[in-house]
Amino acid sequence: MDSTWINAPAKINIGLDVLRRREDGYHEVKMIMQSIRLFDRLTLTKSREPGIRLTTNLHFLPVNEDNLVYKSAKLLMEEFQIDGGLDIQLDKRIPVAAGMAGGSTDAASCMLALNHLYKLGLSKRQLMKRGLSLGADIPYCVMKGTALSEGIGEKLSTIPQMPDCYILIAKPGIHVSTRFVYTNLVLDDNTPHPDIESMITAMRNRDLHDLCAHLGNVLETVTIPAHPEIAEIKKCMIENGALGSLMSGSGPTVFGIFDDFDKAMAAKEKCRQLPYRCFAFVTDLYR
Ligand code: ATP
């Protein structure tokens, strides 16, 4: 086998809490992660010419060591002293810098595909350990599905699957700096922390309405005051039939949860009419 391809799914945060800022600057989090059926695609092809060559459909993305795909391929190729070279085509569909872990899922999928292509025999756990050295969200992106993520993202546990539903994604055409959001996050007695445990209980009971009643992301306390359009998009989704709506990650992507496909499609059109140049897309869960 000289070539293989893999779909790299985006994630949304059904719940996101930050428990504390550690002395080393990292944040201790408690997040419910959920993969959705919005994918980047990676195609890996062995080559006689040594080195890694990355190409992508997005001209503004780096294609050198600054790209997580390049980094993850290099990490495994060096460790296993793989002879010859590798051509990687990265077709991006997941919006960049959106809070949907686009780069992390690409890196995780690159490692999974390389493991398969070169028959390295690494287990998922072994890949997750290597992924963590490149980024806190990468171990989850190797695991995928519904998961609870704690620590700095490296402590992962399986939780009951999220009930079936439709997801409306809307990403306004604004830039949010993750660093800005975490730097300006205030953690004190007034901070509204989401109730992650109640969300897990709702998932166990397969109660979508109860789950939606508990959605929460502590990072909204920073991103929404800086970008009020995020609150407007949430409002638009709720007014158009979403059972719940939340910002994913540090933003600016907003998602809405629907129990009806037609309602989700109608809400998508409403979001597109907002003056925020929204990329809007209806999908469902990736198990
Ligand atoms: P997260 O949800 O983990 O915060 P994100 O969706 O906010 O991720 P990414 O799409 O991963 O952010 O991109 C963040 C930055 O990482 C971009 O500015 C981009 O230049 C860089 N980057 C490196 N590799 C990739 C990649 N494969 N895809 C997208 N961005 C990448």
Side-chain angles (χ1 to χ4, degrees), residues 220-247:
E220 285 188 346
T221 59
V222 184
T223 313
I224 289 185
H227 301 282
E229 48 274 65
I230 289 170
E232 288 297 317
I233 298 169
K234 287 180 64 173
K235 187 165 159 261
C236 177
M237 290 192 184
I238 296 292
E239 283 175 358
N240 288 282
L243 303 177
S245 176
L246 194 71
M247 183 181 84

Side-chain angles (χ1 to χ4, degrees), residues 241-256:
L243 303 177
S245 176
L246 194 71
M247 183 181 84
S248 185
S250 53
T253 296
V254 173
F255 66 88

Side-chain angles (χ1 to χ4, degrees), residues 19-287:
L19 306 182
R20 66 182 187 99
R21 194 172 274 123
R22 300 194 325 192
E23 262 134 46
D24 59 9
Y26 283 100
H27 290 83
E28 213 171 286
V29 295
K30 187 166 181 176
M31 312 189 281
I32 299 179
M33 321 285 272
Q34 175 64 54
S35 307
I36 56 169
R37 287 158 55 79
L38 168 61
F39 304 103
D40 287 344
R41 176 170 289 203
L42 287 94
T43 308
L44 282 71
T45 309
K46 289 181 188 173
S47 156
R48 287 212 186 93
E49 207 183 314
I52 299 166
R53 281 159 302 278
L54 175 62
T55 44
T56 173
N57 57 326
L58 293 188
H59 64 90
F60 57 84
L61 275 186
V63 287
N64 55 16
E65 299 226 10
D66 291 333
N67 195 303
L68 277 167
V69 169
Y70 192 108
K71 267 193 194 144
S72 60
K74 186 166 175 224
L75 187 144
L76 288 187
M77 289 184 76
E78 284 187 353
E79 180 181 345
F80 290 89
Q81 299 179 346
I82 293 171
D83 291 334
L86 184 66
D87 294 330
I88 308 174
Q89 171 63 32
L90 168 63
D91 290 311
K92 293 286 301 179
R93 296 285 173 273
I94 304 170
V96 175
M100 287 194 278
S104 301
T105 194
D106 293 347
S109 291
C110 183
M111 295 202 308
L112 284 161
L114 225 142
N115 189 37
H116 176 65
L117 187 63
Y118 290 97
K119 299 188 175 61
L120 303 182
L122 292 169
S123 66
K124 274 203 176 164
R125 201 140 281 286
Q126 288 169 320
L127 289 172
M128 285 156 80
K129 190 168 160 231
R130 284 161 177 81
L132 182 62
S133 68
L134 300 178
D137 279 348
I138 297 179
Y140 162 71
C141 293
V142 171
M143 178 175 163
K144 304 176 200 163
T146 314
L148 178 68
S149 164
E150 294 174 285
I152 61 162
E154 85 289 9
K155 286 187 204 151
L156 290 167
S157 26
T158 42
I159 52 175
Q161 283 197 349
M162 195 168 157
D164 284 337
C165 58
Y166 299 98
I167 305 286
L168 167 59
I169 298 290
K171 186 209 166 261
I174 55 173
H175 177 71
V176 174
S177 152
T178 302
R179 182 188 289 264
F180 168 86
V181 175
Y182 275 95
T183 309
N184 287 282
L185 177 65
V186 177
L187 294 172
D188 62 20
D189 291 346
N190 298 320
T191 307
H193 291 279
D195 184 353
I196 302 282
E197 292 305 324
S198 291
M199 285 185 221
I200 297 173
T201 303
M203 285 175 158
R204 186 169 299 116
N205 296 336
R206 308 202 64 71
D207 187 337
L208 192 60
H209 285 79
D210 189 36
L211 175 64
C212 289
H214 286 96
L215 296 182
N217 177 349
V218 74
L219 301 180
E220 285 188 346
T221 59
V222 184
T223 313
I224 289 185
H227 301 282
E229 48 274 65
I230 289 170
E232 288 297 317
I233 298 169
K234 287 180 64 173
K235 187 165 159 261
C236 177
M237 290 192 184
I238 296 292
E239 283 175 358
N240 288 282
L243 303 177
S245 176
L246 194 71
M247 183 181 84
S248 185
S250 53
T253 296
V254 173
F255 66 88
I257 297 180
F258 293 78
D259 57 4
D260 181 277
F261 178 73
D262 292 337
K263 271 190 203 158
M265 291 299 282
K268 178 183 83 170
E269 291 311 318
K270 295 286 182 192
C271 287
R272 282 196 174 149
Q273 284 162 19
L274 293 171
Y276 311 132
R277 293 181 297 116
C278 278
F279 160 91
F281 185 81
V282 175
T283 184
D284 56 5
L285 309 177
Y286 177 80
R287 303 285 187 196

